[in-house]
Amino acid sequence: MPLYKSQQLKIYNSLSGEKEVFTPIHEGNVGMYVCGPTVYSNVHLGNLRTFMSFDVIFRYFQHLNYKVRYVRNITDVGHIVDDVDEGEDKIAKKARLEQLEPMEVVQRYTVDFHEILGAFNFLPPSIEPTATGHIIEQIEIIKKIIETGIGYEANGSVYFDVVKFNETNHYGRLSGRNIEDMLANTRDLDGQSDKRNPQDFALWKKAEPQHIMRWPSPWSDGFPGWHLECTAMSTKYLGNHFDIHGGGMDLKFPHHECEIAQNEACTGQTPVNYWLHANMLTLNGKKMAKSTGNNILPGEILSGENTILSKAFSASVTRFFMLQAHYRSILDFSDDAIVAAEKGYKRLMEAMSSLESIQPAPKSSLNIAEWKQLCYDAMNDDFNTPILIAQLFEGVRFVNLLKEGKETLTTEDATTFATAMNAFVFDVLGLESENASEGNNDKLEGTVNLLIEMRKQARENKNFALSDQIRDQLLALGIQLKDGKDGTTFSL
């Protein structure tokens, strides 16, 4: 029997503002779309946190034996500076500044995105479509929206009539906004806009002569609006009505609000059952910004080449730190916080390495079934990773008590315990153990260097028997000493 049948998962739905029992449209299957990066710069730490939250959600669905189609797009066109309809495309701007082809910019930062996510042990999505690969689909959606009378062409551009849409639908319900209030608070200052209403958004923009990225369409040579791409790609791969749509909190309005409107105008049905939004990341209590220097890139955490942190930290330590906060809460990143997380991570990995040494006993004095269900209860409560981590440290306490002989487990319970610890630590949270071995390597190096120093003193005291004994015993352990003019080194 698949695990999901025995676990009731509740998800906080941004659309209703409540936790709801998750019921997929098709039993045993999950369709999930997450807004991916705009590839005009290195992926920043806030983006990494958002994608990490959905990586864990993806992992947990798979752990529950769901068949998951996880679609995460690459925005490689159509994302305007400051996320408004006027201005310069971010990728085109970067290409102009660096005197590159736009697709060179896209390739460079797509590679960076994949390398960083790989370093942090992210699972790849099922499908990773690009906006430029779906221009035809976007044009077809625009045609349908025009046919309904909600889309209108003006001077080669096409806009979405928010006021007309709102006559039969509720534009703003995801973000809790009211169209009348939005219109009252918006002023069209220059009076030159092609839009009927200030809140209308672009479906297609006519390209100016200097605009590099352009495609032919029935209305003009131009490019699609930012919001349209996700509607096109999500519905192509998941259908007009699917289970989950996720992204950062900053995308709730206008991006996700516009997605809902486009889909409803085009298909007549609401596109998504559950909207999930990950919260923001701050740095030392302040908003991250390149302009103020209060900024750090994921790769700079790994290399230690930054002015924010006291040293380099591994990807798994960083991942562990981020998962100590719930995905819907604001997380503040600081040196003190990640140093503390590193200590906790090492404790957890030391316990994981001790699981195999647990000696079974005739009777169990620990209730492993109850502890295991508490781990599931944490994740079933809107993917509550901090509560899961707290339960895993209860598991660490069990390990220490078992090692000390103060508690006992039968063979069956010991197997259940070890399997559950491994599943939640490595499969669900996506942590990796090699960094713990790096810590052990540091200890090994210190121990061997101490023995090398003892051997040096023995030789200086002409105690060659002790010197040879140290060398031979280390060799028997697979550690070879090499004497040179600059001293003694060792290799494994």
Side-chain angles (χ1 to χ4, degrees):
M1 183 177 74
L3 263 174
Y4 63 78
K5 286 186 176 291
S6 62
Q7 303 297 328
Q8 187 183 73
L9 172 63
K10 288 189 174 183
I11 297 176
Y12 181 86
N13 190 348
S14 296
L15 195 61
S16 66
E18 296 178 354
K19 289 180 185 176
E20 301 174 5
V21 174
F22 176 70
T23 305
I25 296 168
H26 305 288
E27 184 181 341
N29 294 268
V30 176
M32 181 169 75
Y33 184 89
V34 172
C35 293
T38 303
V39 283
Y40 70 100
S41 64
N42 299 103
V43 59
H44 66 71
L45 201 57
N47 288 145
L48 185 77
R49 187 207 178 186
T50 295
F51 298 134
M52 187 179 295
S53 298
F54 289 101
D55 181 62
V56 170
I57 289 168
F58 178 35
R59 286 170 174 274
Y60 189 58
F61 276 127
Q62 288 188 317
H63 175 75
L64 291 179
N65 306 129
Y66 281 107
K67 182 181 179 181
V68 188
R69 177 175 288 179
Y70 173 23
V71 183
R72 186 186 65 214
N73 74 296
I74 296 286
T75 295
D76 56 355
V77 69
H79 196 158
I80 303 298
V81 174
D82 298 326
D83 302 341
V84 294
D85 292 329
E86 285 69 41
E88 190 174 5
D89 184 288
K90 289 180 176 180
I91 292 163
K93 181 179 180 180
K94 187 79 167 184
R96 178 175 55 78
L97 291 174
E98 297 193 8
Q99 295 184 315
L100 298 169
E101 279 287 332
M103 285 301 131
E104 285 184 87
V105 174
V106 166
Q107 178 69 6
R108 175 187 298 177
Y109 294 112
T110 300
V111 169
D112 168 76
F113 176 68
H114 288 147
E115 286 179 347
I116 289 295
L117 265 58
F120 283 85
N121 198 32
F122 282 53
L123 296 178
S126 315
I127 303 172
E128 192 173 52
T130 63
T132 55
H134 296 76
I135 299 294
I136 292 171
E137 289 84 352
Q138 293 177 72
I139 288 173
E140 291 303 310
I141 288 173
I142 295 171
K143 288 179 182 177
K144 290 179 182 177
I145 294 174
I146 290 175
E147 287 173 7
T148 67
I150 292 172
Y152 61 94
E153 188 266 340
N155 293 325
S157 293
V158 183
Y159 297 95
F160 187 99
D161 191 330
V162 170
V163 173
K164 187 173 181 64
F165 172 78
N166 201 61
E167 291 173 0
T168 53
N169 297 272
H170 180 187
Y171 180 80
R173 70 179 182 273
L174 177 66
S175 55
R177 301 182 186 216
N178 182 288
I179 186 65
E180 288 78 15
D181 293 340
M182 284 190 273
L183 290 169
N185 292 328
T186 306
R187 296 289 179 266
D188 190 1
L189 298 177
D190 61 13
Q192 301 298 312
S193 175
D194 291 329
K195 298 179 183 180
R196 292 175 183 170
N197 315 290
Q199 290 298 324
D200 293 355
F201 56 89
L203 298 171
W204 186 266
K205 288 290 288 182
K206 180 180 179 180
E208 298 298 325
Q210 71 275 14
H211 198 95
I212 310 170
M213 302 181 81
R214 58 173 68 217
W215 291 263
S217 80
W219 314 285
S220 64
D221 273 9
F223 53 94
W226 167 38
H227 313 302
L228 190 64
E229 60 173 276
C230 288
T231 296
M233 290 183 279
S234 62
T235 55
K236 175 165 183 173
Y237 298 109
L238 298 174
N240 292 335
H241 185 206
F242 55 95
D243 296 304
I244 294 172
H245 194 312
M249 198 78 76
D250 56 320
L251 297 180
K252 189 183 289 188
F253 186 89
H255 185 51
H256 290 160
E257 202 72 72
C258 293
E259 277 193 67
I260 292 173
Q262 289 167 161
N263 200 296
E264 291 185 350
C266 185
T267 68
Q269 58 182 304
T270 188
V272 179
N273 283 353
Y274 305 89
W275 284 89
L276 277 65
H277 290 95
N279 216 324
M280 64 184 292
L281 184 75
T282 57
L283 181 59
N284 292 322
K286 299 176 183 176
K287 184 179 179 180
M288 283 193 291
K290 289 181 183 177
S291 57
T292 62
N294 194 50
N295 185 59
I296 186 170
L297 294 172
E300 293 172 340
I301 298 172
L302 305 182
S303 68
E305 295 174 3
N306 62 80
T307 59
I308 304 290
L309 303 177
S310 57
K311 63 169 189 163
F313 292 91
S314 72
S316 271
V317 166
T318 308
R319 188 177 177 106
F320 179 72
F321 162 75
M322 289 188 174
L323 296 179
Q324 285 181 309
H326 190 268
Y327 77 92
R328 285 192 292 111
S329 65
I330 294 174
L331 172 63
D332 187 53
F333 187 85
S334 69
D335 188 60
D336 288 345
I338 195 167
V339 165
E342 184 176 50
K343 292 176 182 176
Y345 168 79
K346 287 182 176 178
R347 279 182 56 215
L348 179 59
M349 289 302 144
E350 285 172 6
M352 295 304 294
S353 65
S354 300
L355 283 171
E356 292 181 5
S357 62
I358 293 173
Q359 297 298 316
K363 289 178 62 179
S364 291
S365 58
L366 295 169
N367 191 332
I368 295 303
E370 181 181 3
W371 166 83
K372 180 180 173 182
Q373 188 54 49
L374 288 171
C375 292
Y376 279 108
D377 290 348
M379 289 302 290
N380 291 339
D381 183 15
D382 192 32
F383 313 103
N384 201 322
T385 55
I387 300 299
L388 171 61
I389 288 171
Q391 290 301 330
L392 292 176
F393 275 102
E394 181 68 2
V396 171
R397 189 177 72 85
F398 289 174
V399 170
N400 292 332
L401 290 171
L402 290 163
K403 283 167 63 178
E404 294 166 7
K406 295 178 180 177
E407 301 286 358
T408 57
L409 290 178
T410 62
T411 300
E412 183 180 356
D413 281 347
T415 302
T416 299
F417 178 52
T419 302
M421 284 288 285
N422 277 285
F424 283 111
V425 171
F426 300 126
D427 298 342
V428 175
L429 294 183
L431 300 176
E432 293 183 290
S433 61
E434 65 260 30
N435 294 310
S437 68
E438 286 173 12
N440 291 335
N441 285 341
D442 290 341
K443 294 177 183 178
L444 173 64
E445 185 175 349
T447 303
V448 174
N449 284 333
L450 177 63
L451 289 167
I452 287 172
E453 184 60 32
M454 290 174 61
R455 178 171 174 264
K456 179 184 174 185
Q457 291 179 1
R459 293 173 77 179
E460 287 174 354
N461 294 332
K462 301 192 184 305
N463 188 348
F464 298 114
L466 178 57
S467 168
D468 292 345
Q469 183 183 0
I470 292 172
R471 180 198 62 205
D472 294 343
Q473 289 191 354
L474 285 173
L475 185 61
L477 294 170
I479 302 168
Q480 184 175 6
L481 299 185
K482 298 176 182 177
D483 295 318
K485 61 180 180 179
D486 295 324
T488 302
T489 58
F490 72 92
S491 61
L492 300 175

